[in-house]
Amino acid sequence: MEKRIALELRGRNPSQIKELNLDNCRSTNIVGLSDEYTNLEILSLNNVGLTTLKGFPTLPKLRKLELSDNRISNGLNFLNGCKKLTHLNLSGNKIRDLDTLKPLQEFENLRNLDLFYNDVTNIEDYKIKVFALHPSLKYLDGFDKDDREGEDSDAEEEDGEEMNGNNDSDDEDLDIDLGPLVIDDESLSERLSEESPSLLVSLYTVYGLLFHMGYLLRNVDDEDVSLSAVYNANLEEESSASSLYVGSDVEEEEDDDDDEDGDNDADADGDHNSKAQDGEDNTHEESTRGKKRKHEDEDDN
């Protein structure tokens, strides 16, 4: 227990501690707790193995004490230094008679008492007698005098303390104790069993998302195939159009060549005709000159 207390302190001063959890640390008696924990309000000693409360320190501000699943059979008078105690859990111990509970009459603020799984609960009219023994008691084993289940006894206790002016925490600085998380195997299994439906729902959700993504990917592949087909068709049309354009250009070039050949032939014919005409003109002129010269010779004779 001493090692566990030192671990929970983490170098802090005991007067700074307001909540201390020592569950499952094995010890038969109180060791390591002292009167230095002057501001301690909540103390949990469940399943420690305590057989006696001898040496329990004076804790003037303690209001909630958890002592379930131990082997305590008497000695509740050692808690008299905790005058502000409002909640006491003694379930799962070895309390056998009502006389063992008489020291609790000193706790005027006690509102909630748990005695589950103690032999004292087998006494006839056990609840009536315990309520009569402790007039300040409001809930016994989670129920009031009329067997109505307590909804939130801790909240009611705090409200009662504030109304009675017994809450001194408002005048002090806020001190948050972030103790290490202690996991109980039974509570963990129960929690997992409760959360298993939500796990199944999450798995179904993930499966649905994966199925939807696969469907979308298949649609994308089909669309890619159709787009590639359209692209290939466009390429074929462009290639056929370009071939037609090239054929028309060749024909136009051939027509141009034929026109040029025709023009050249016409030019050649024209040159030949002009030359023939010139030859005829020269011949006619020479014949005219010959005739004129012959006539002049005749005149001279």
Side-chain angles (χ1 to χ4, degrees), residues 289-301:
R289 288 178 182 174
K291 288 180 180 181
K292 185 177 181 180
R293 190 178 294 112
K294 184 180 179 181
H295 182 68
E296 289 178 353
D297 291 336
E298 288 178 355
D299 289 340
D300 291 336
N301 294 324

Side-chain angles (χ1 to χ4, degrees), residues 11-271:
R12 293 175 295 176
N13 192 296
S15 61
Q16 296 178 310
I17 306 301
K18 289 189 175 183
E19 183 174 353
L20 188 60
N21 189 325
L22 301 176
D23 293 348
N24 304 310
C25 68
R26 309 305 296 176
S27 180
T28 57
N29 59 338
I30 302 297
V31 181
L33 280 177
S34 65
D35 298 342
E36 295 178 328
Y37 293 84
T38 55
N39 291 313
L40 189 62
E41 297 180 3
I42 301 175
L43 175 61
S44 185
L45 290 164
N46 295 324
N47 194 30
V48 175
L50 295 173
T51 58
T52 179
L53 293 175
K54 186 178 180 179
F56 198 90
T58 299
L59 304 173
K61 292 187 178 181
L62 188 68
R63 59 183 179 81
K64 185 174 183 178
L65 178 59
E66 296 281 345
L67 292 169
S68 67
D69 300 322
N70 287 287
R71 292 179 289 167
I72 300 170
S73 59
N74 54 39
L76 297 182
N77 55 298
F78 293 112
L79 300 177
N80 288 340
C82 309
K83 299 297 183 180
K84 289 189 177 181
L85 196 63
T86 60
H87 181 109
L88 178 60
N89 186 359
L90 289 168
S91 61
N93 280 279
K94 298 185 178 298
I95 299 173
R96 295 182 174 85
D97 51 56
L98 294 175
D99 290 337
T100 305
L101 301 175
K102 284 184 178 181
L104 299 181
Q105 292 176 330
E106 300 294 329
F107 300 97
E108 298 178 355
N109 297 313
L110 189 62
R111 298 287 183 272
N112 197 316
L113 177 63
D114 289 328
L115 294 171
F116 283 118
Y117 305 112
N118 281 276
D119 292 341
V120 68
T121 59
N122 297 324
I123 298 176
E124 187 178 358
D125 298 328
Y126 145 76
K127 286 188 176 182
I128 295 175
K129 293 176 180 179
V130 172
F131 275 117
L133 188 64
H134 304 284
S136 64
L137 199 61
K138 186 172 183 180
Y139 295 103
L140 176 61
D141 300 335
F143 293 87
D144 62 9
K145 295 179 181 180
D146 300 322
D147 279 340
R148 290 177 299 189
E149 186 176 2
E151 295 180 357
D152 192 356
S153 59
D154 292 341
E156 292 181 1
E157 290 167 8
E158 294 177 359
D159 293 340
E161 289 179 357
E162 292 178 359
M163 292 177 64
N164 294 329
N166 294 329
N167 192 357
D168 298 330
S169 60
D170 294 340
D171 299 332
E172 300 173 356
D173 296 334
L174 180 63
D175 183 16
I176 301 176
D177 180 19
L178 299 176
L181 178 63
V182 178
I183 300 177
D184 188 4
D185 294 338
E186 295 181 359
S187 62
L188 180 60
S189 61
E190 293 176 358
R191 193 178 304 116
L192 289 175
S193 63
E194 292 176 356
E195 293 179 356
S196 57
S198 60
L199 179 61
L200 291 175
V201 173
S202 301
L203 291 175
Y204 280 122
T205 303
V206 172
Y207 177 77
L209 291 174
L210 292 175
F211 179 78
H212 185 63
M213 291 177 64
Y215 177 75
L216 292 177
L217 290 174
R218 286 197 298 272
N219 289 340
V220 170
D221 293 338
D222 295 339
E223 185 176 355
D224 291 340
V225 172
S226 62
L227 288 176
S228 61
V230 172
Y231 179 73
N232 292 330
N234 290 335
L235 287 178
E236 292 177 358
E237 291 180 359
E238 291 179 357
S239 61
S240 62
S242 60
S243 62
L244 292 174
Y245 179 75
V246 170
S248 63
D249 290 342
V250 171
E251 292 177 356
E252 289 178 358
E253 290 178 358
E254 292 178 354
D255 294 338
D256 292 340
D257 292 338
D258 293 338
D259 293 339
E260 289 179 358
D261 293 338
D263 293 337
N264 292 330
D265 293 338
D267 292 337
D269 293 339
D271 292 339

